[in-house]
Amino acid sequence: MDIDAWLWWLIGATALGIALVITAMPELGMLAVGAVAASVVTGVFGGGAVAQVAVFALISTAGIAVVRPIANRHRAQRPQLATGVDALKGRQAVVLERVDASGGRIKLAGEVWSARALDTDRAYDVGQEVDVVDIEGATAIVM
C-alpha cells in the first residue's frame, strides 16, 4: 500500500501537534503549520519534493520568526493582576500595637499581621496609618 506524500505531511503535522501539546513549545506548532502547508502544496497543487520541503522550511521559519518574539515578550511580562503578598505591597494598614524596628501588629486587608518598621529609628503608634513596603515571610515591612 503506497501512501501519498500529502498524507505523510499530515501525519507529521499531527505528530508535531501532539508534541506541542505535551511540551508547550510554540516552535513545534509552527513546524506543524509548515507541514500542513507542505501537504497543501503536494495535495492541491501537485508540487514535487523540492517544492514541499521549500514550503515547509519557509512557512516554519517565518512562523518561528514571528511567534518566538511574541512568546518571549509574554513570558517576560509580569501579571497585570497582583495576587497573594504582591497585592498587599503598597497598601495602607492601621497600627494595632506599636510598630518599631523590633516589631508590632497592624491590620492589613482585614487581617492582623506582624509588622516591622522599615526605618529602624522610627516608631508608629496605635491608630496611625502606615504604608506596606514589603512582605518578608509573615511580617509586613511598613513606613
Side-chain angles (χ1 to χ4, degrees):
M1 183 166 113
D2 190 24
I3 298 178
D4 292 334
W6 67 270
L7 192 54
W8 283 114
W9 282 110
L10 283 182
I11 291 169
T14 302
L16 288 166
I18 291 169
L20 167 67
V21 170
I22 292 171
T23 64
M25 290 180 58
E27 292 85 358
L28 293 175
M30 297 302 100
L31 292 173
V33 169
V36 169
S39 175
V40 168
V41 165
T42 306
V44 175
F45 300 111
V50 173
Q52 296 170 36
V53 172
V55 166
F56 172 75
L58 182 69
I59 297 296
S60 297
T61 304
I64 290 171
V66 169
V67 171
R68 182 179 282 166
I70 294 170
N72 287 339
R73 188 170 44 241
H74 282 285
R75 191 176 301 148
Q77 282 181 341
R78 292 186 51 120
Q80 293 183 2
L81 177 64
T83 59
V85 294
D86 289 332
L88 299 175
K89 294 177 186 177
R91 295 195 53 185
Q92 287 192 334
V94 177
V95 176
L96 298 177
E97 294 176 11
R98 180 181 165 93
V99 176
D100 55 22
S102 61
R105 298 250 182 241
I106 60 171
K107 187 164 193 162
L108 172 62
E111 297 178 343
V112 176
W113 282 72
S114 61
R116 185 167 40 91
L118 177 66
D119 184 4
T120 56
D121 298 332
R122 189 89 198 267
Y124 304 97
D125 293 319
V126 176
Q128 271 188 291
E129 286 192 359
V130 292
D131 293 322
V132 176
V133 178
D134 197 11
I135 304 285
E136 291 179 358
T139 303
I141 310 302
V142 299
M143 62 181 250

